[in-house]
Amino acid sequence: NRGSEMKYVELEEVDGAGKRGDRQGCRMEEHPHDPPPETGWFKILTFGHLNPLLQTGYKRPVVFDDLPPLLSTDRSKHVGRQLQALWDEELETCAKNKAKQTKGRKQTKGRIEPSLLRVLIKAHGREFAIGNLLKFPQDMLLFAGPFLLEKLVIFVDPQLTSDSELRVQDGMFVVVGIFAAQLLQSLFLHQYF
C-alpha cells in the first residue's frame, strides 16, 4: 500500500553558521510581540499588539530575532504529529473496513482506500471554512466600491442626473458608505489572509 509509506520526519533548525540548534527566537517562552491573553478584541482586530514590533522597525531595521516565535500550535513539530496521528487513524480505519469486506464478502459502506485529502480536511478543514466565511463578505463588499463611486460622481456632477435636488446628506452618505465598505473589507481580509 503506497499510502502507508508516508512517515513523519522531524527537522531540526539550522542556524546561520550551519550548526544545528535552537535560536533564541524559537523558544516557547512568551515574546513581547505575542498578544497577551488579556488583549482585548479591538487590539487583536486592529493588530495593536504588534505596535512594539512596528516601533522597533521605525527605529532600526527589524532582524530575524526581533520577530515573534510561532505559536506552539503552528509549529511544524505539532502540525506534523497531528497529521501523522490522523494519517495513522485513516490507515487503521481503511484496514478494518478492508478486512470486514474481505471477511464478509460483501460491500461495506466504509472506505477501504486511505485518502490524504480526507486527512487534510480533518486536520485543517475548520481553518479553511473560517477563512471562507471571512472571505465571502469581503468579496461581496468589493462590489460596493464601484457602485458607491458611481453615486459619488453623479453627486459631484449634477449634469449626469435628472434629479434636480441633490442633498448634501446624500453625498455624505455615499462617502461614509465608501469608507465603511473599505474598512470592513480590510477587517475581513486581514484577519485571516
Short mmCIF file of all heavy atoms in Angstrom, two decimals, residues 45-73:
data_model
loop_
_atom_site.label_atom_id
_atom_site.label_comp_id
_atom_site.label_asym_id
_atom_site.label_seq_id
_atom_site.Cartn_x
_atom_site.Cartn_y
_atom_site.Cartn_z
N LEU A 45 -8.22 42.79 16.66
CA LEU A 45 -8.86 43.12 15.39
C LEU A 45 -8.04 44.11 14.59
O LEU A 45 -7.96 44.02 13.36
CB LEU A 45 -10.26 43.68 15.66
CG LEU A 45 -11.21 43.80 14.48
CD1 LEU A 45 -11.54 42.42 13.92
CD2 LEU A 45 -12.48 44.49 14.92
N THR A 46 -7.40 45.05 15.26
CA THR A 46 -6.62 46.09 14.59
C THR A 46 -5.12 45.81 14.64
O THR A 46 -4.33 46.67 14.25
CB THR A 46 -6.90 47.46 15.22
OG1 THR A 46 -6.55 47.41 16.60
CG2 THR A 46 -8.34 47.86 15.05
N PHE A 47 -4.71 44.64 15.11
CA PHE A 47 -3.31 44.24 15.21
C PHE A 47 -2.51 45.20 16.09
O PHE A 47 -1.33 45.42 15.87
CB PHE A 47 -2.67 44.13 13.82
CG PHE A 47 -3.32 43.10 12.95
CD1 PHE A 47 -4.26 43.46 12.01
CD2 PHE A 47 -3.00 41.77 13.10
CE1 PHE A 47 -4.86 42.52 11.20
CE2 PHE A 47 -3.60 40.81 12.30
CZ PHE A 47 -4.54 41.19 11.36
N GLY A 48 -3.16 45.76 17.11
CA GLY A 48 -2.49 46.68 18.02
C GLY A 48 -1.40 46.02 18.85
O GLY A 48 -0.49 46.70 19.31
N HIS A 49 -1.47 44.71 19.03
CA HIS A 49 -0.44 44.00 19.81
C HIS A 49 0.90 43.98 19.09
O HIS A 49 1.91 43.63 19.67
CB HIS A 49 -0.91 42.58 20.14
CG HIS A 49 -1.19 41.74 18.94
ND1 HIS A 49 -2.37 41.84 18.24
CD2 HIS A 49 -0.44 40.82 18.30
CE1 HIS A 49 -2.35 41.00 17.23
NE2 HIS A 49 -1.20 40.37 17.24
N LEU A 50 0.92 44.39 17.81
CA LEU A 50 2.18 44.42 17.06
C LEU A 50 2.87 45.77 17.12
O LEU A 50 3.92 45.96 16.50
CB LEU A 50 1.92 44.04 15.60
CG LEU A 50 1.52 42.60 15.35
CD1 LEU A 50 1.20 42.37 13.89
CD2 LEU A 50 2.61 41.65 15.81
N ASN A 51 2.29 46.73 17.85
CA ASN A 51 2.89 48.07 17.93
C ASN A 51 4.34 48.06 18.40
O ASN A 51 5.15 48.80 17.83
CB ASN A 51 2.04 48.99 18.81
CG ASN A 51 0.80 49.47 18.08
OD1 ASN A 51 0.73 49.40 16.85
ND2 ASN A 51 -0.17 49.93 18.83
N PRO A 52 4.74 47.28 19.41
CA PRO A 52 6.15 47.27 19.79
C PRO A 52 7.08 46.85 18.65
O PRO A 52 8.15 47.42 18.47
CB PRO A 52 6.22 46.28 20.95
CG PRO A 52 4.84 46.25 21.52
CD PRO A 52 3.93 46.49 20.35
N LEU A 53 6.65 45.87 17.86
CA LEU A 53 7.46 45.44 16.72
C LEU A 53 7.54 46.54 15.66
O LEU A 53 8.60 46.79 15.08
CB LEU A 53 6.89 44.15 16.11
CG LEU A 53 7.64 43.60 14.90
CD1 LEU A 53 9.05 43.17 15.29
CD2 LEU A 53 6.87 42.43 14.31
N LEU A 54 6.45 47.23 15.43
CA LEU A 54 6.44 48.32 14.46
C LEU A 54 7.31 49.48 14.94
O LEU A 54 7.99 50.13 14.14
CB LEU A 54 5.01 48.79 14.22
CG LEU A 54 4.08 47.76 13.58
CD1 LEU A 54 2.66 48.29 13.50
CD2 LEU A 54 4.58 47.33 12.21
N GLN A 55 7.31 49.74 16.23
CA GLN A 55 8.17 50.79 16.77
C GLN A 55 9.64 50.41 16.62
O GLN A 55 10.48 51.26 16.30
CB GLN A 55 7.84 51.04 18.24
CG GLN A 55 6.52 51.75 18.43
CD GLN A 55 6.10 51.82 19.89
OE1 GLN A 55 6.68 51.20 20.76
NE2 GLN A 55 5.05 52.58 20.15
N THR A 56 9.96 49.14 16.81
CA THR A 56 11.33 48.68 16.61
C THR A 56 11.73 48.88 15.14
O THR A 56 12.82 49.35 14.85
CB THR A 56 11.46 47.19 16.98
OG1 THR A 56 11.11 47.02 18.35
CG2 THR A 56 12.87 46.67 16.76
N GLY A 57 10.82 48.55 14.23
CA GLY A 57 11.08 48.74 12.81
C GLY A 57 11.22 50.19 12.42
O GLY A 57 11.91 50.52 11.45
N TYR A 58 10.58 51.07 13.15
CA TYR A 58 10.71 52.50 12.88
C TYR A 58 12.09 53.01 13.31
O TYR A 58 12.68 53.85 12.65
CB TYR A 58 9.60 53.27 13.60
CG TYR A 58 9.67 54.76 13.40
CD1 TYR A 58 9.28 55.33 12.19
CD2 TYR A 58 10.12 55.61 14.41
CE1 TYR A 58 9.34 56.69 11.99
CE2 TYR A 58 10.20 56.97 14.23
CZ TYR A 58 9.80 57.51 13.01
OH TYR A 58 9.86 58.87 12.81
N LYS A 59 12.59 52.46 14.42
CA LYS A 59 13.87 52.92 14.97
C LYS A 59 15.06 52.33 14.22
O LYS A 59 16.07 52.99 14.04
CB LYS A 59 13.98 52.55 16.45
CG LYS A 59 13.00 53.29 17.32
CD LYS A 59 13.07 52.81 18.76
CE LYS A 59 11.99 53.47 19.59
NZ LYS A 59 11.88 52.88 20.92
N ARG A 60 14.94 51.08 13.83
CA ARG A 60 16.04 50.39 13.14
C ARG A 60 15.44 49.26 12.31
O ARG A 60 14.29 48.87 12.51
CB ARG A 60 17.04 49.84 14.16
CG ARG A 60 16.45 48.79 15.08
CD ARG A 60 17.51 48.19 15.99
NE ARG A 60 16.93 47.34 17.00
CZ ARG A 60 16.46 46.11 16.80
NH1 ARG A 60 16.52 45.59 15.61
NH2 ARG A 60 15.94 45.41 17.79
N PRO A 61 16.22 48.74 11.36
CA PRO A 61 15.70 47.61 10.58
C PRO A 61 15.40 46.41 11.49
O PRO A 61 16.18 46.11 12.41
CB PRO A 61 16.83 47.29 9.62
CG PRO A 61 17.65 48.53 9.54
CD PRO A 61 17.52 49.20 10.88
N VAL A 62 14.31 45.76 11.24
CA VAL A 62 13.92 44.59 12.02
C VAL A 62 14.78 43.41 11.57
O VAL A 62 14.93 43.17 10.37
CB VAL A 62 12.42 44.27 11.83
CG1 VAL A 62 12.03 42.98 12.53
CG2 VAL A 62 11.58 45.42 12.33
N VAL A 63 15.35 42.69 12.52
CA VAL A 63 16.13 41.50 12.22
C VAL A 63 15.33 40.27 12.63
O VAL A 63 14.30 40.36 13.31
CB VAL A 63 17.51 41.53 12.93
CG1 VAL A 63 18.37 42.65 12.38
CG2 VAL A 63 17.36 41.65 14.42
N PHE A 64 15.82 39.12 12.24
CA PHE A 64 15.10 37.86 12.45
C PHE A 64 14.78 37.63 13.92
O PHE A 64 13.71 37.16 14.27
CB PHE A 64 15.93 36.71 11.88
CG PHE A 64 15.18 35.43 11.77
CD1 PHE A 64 14.10 35.32 10.91
CD2 PHE A 64 15.54 34.33 12.51
CE1 PHE A 64 13.40 34.13 10.79
CE2 PHE A 64 14.84 33.14 12.40
CZ PHE A 64 13.77 33.04 11.53
N ASP A 65 15.71 37.98 14.81
CA ASP A 65 15.49 37.75 16.24
C ASP A 65 14.44 38.67 16.84
O ASP A 65 13.95 38.42 17.94
CB ASP A 65 16.80 37.89 17.01
CG ASP A 65 17.73 36.72 16.75
OD1 ASP A 65 17.23 35.63 16.43
OD2 ASP A 65 18.96 36.89 16.89
N ASP A 66 14.08 39.75 16.13
CA ASP A 66 13.02 40.65 16.62
C ASP A 66 11.63 40.08 16.39
O ASP A 66 10.68 40.50 17.04
CB ASP A 66 13.10 42.01 15.90
CG ASP A 66 14.35 42.79 16.26
OD1 ASP A 66 14.86 42.59 17.38
OD2 ASP A 66 14.82 43.58 15.42
N LEU A 67 11.53 39.16 15.45
CA LEU A 67 10.22 38.60 15.12
C LEU A 67 9.73 37.67 16.21
O LEU A 67 10.52 36.94 16.82
CB LEU A 67 10.30 37.84 13.80
CG LEU A 67 10.69 38.68 12.59
CD1 LEU A 67 10.84 37.78 11.37
CD2 LEU A 67 9.69 39.78 12.33
N PRO A 68 8.42 37.66 16.46
CA PRO A 68 7.90 36.77 17.50
C PRO A 68 7.95 35.32 17.04
O PRO A 68 7.86 35.03 15.84
CB PRO A 68 6.45 37.23 17.67
CG PRO A 68 6.11 37.92 16.40
CD PRO A 68 7.38 38.50 15.87
N PRO A 69 8.11 34.40 17.96
CA PRO A 69 8.09 32.98 17.58
C PRO A 69 6.69 32.55 17.20
O PRO A 69 5.70 33.20 17.54
CB PRO A 69 8.57 32.27 18.85
CG PRO A 69 8.18 33.20 19.95
CD PRO A 69 8.29 34.59 19.40
N LEU A 70 6.62 31.46 16.50
CA LEU A 70 5.32 30.90 16.15
C LEU A 70 4.61 30.39 17.41
O LEU A 70 5.26 29.98 18.37
CB LEU A 70 5.49 29.71 15.20
CG LEU A 70 5.86 30.03 13.76
CD1 LEU A 70 6.15 28.74 13.01
CD2 LEU A 70 4.77 30.81 13.08
N LEU A 71 3.31 30.41 17.36
CA LEU A 71 2.55 29.76 18.43
C LEU A 71 2.85 28.27 18.40
O LEU A 71 3.14 27.71 17.34
CB LEU A 71 1.05 30.01 18.24
CG LEU A 71 0.59 31.47 18.29
CD1 LEU A 71 -0.87 31.57 17.90
CD2 LEU A 71 0.81 32.04 19.68
N SER A 72 2.74 27.63 19.53
CA SER A 72 3.08 26.20 19.58
C SER A 72 2.18 25.39 18.65
O SER A 72 2.62 24.39 18.09
CB SER A 72 2.98 25.69 21.02
OG SER A 72 1.66 25.83 21.49
N THR A 73 0.95 25.80 18.45
CA THR A 73 0.04 25.05 17.58
C THR A 73 0.36 25.25 16.10
O THR A 73 -0.14 24.49 15.27
CB THR A 73 -1.42 25.47 17.83
OG1 THR A 73 -1.52 26.89 17.64
CG2 THR A 73 -1.86 25.09 19.22
#
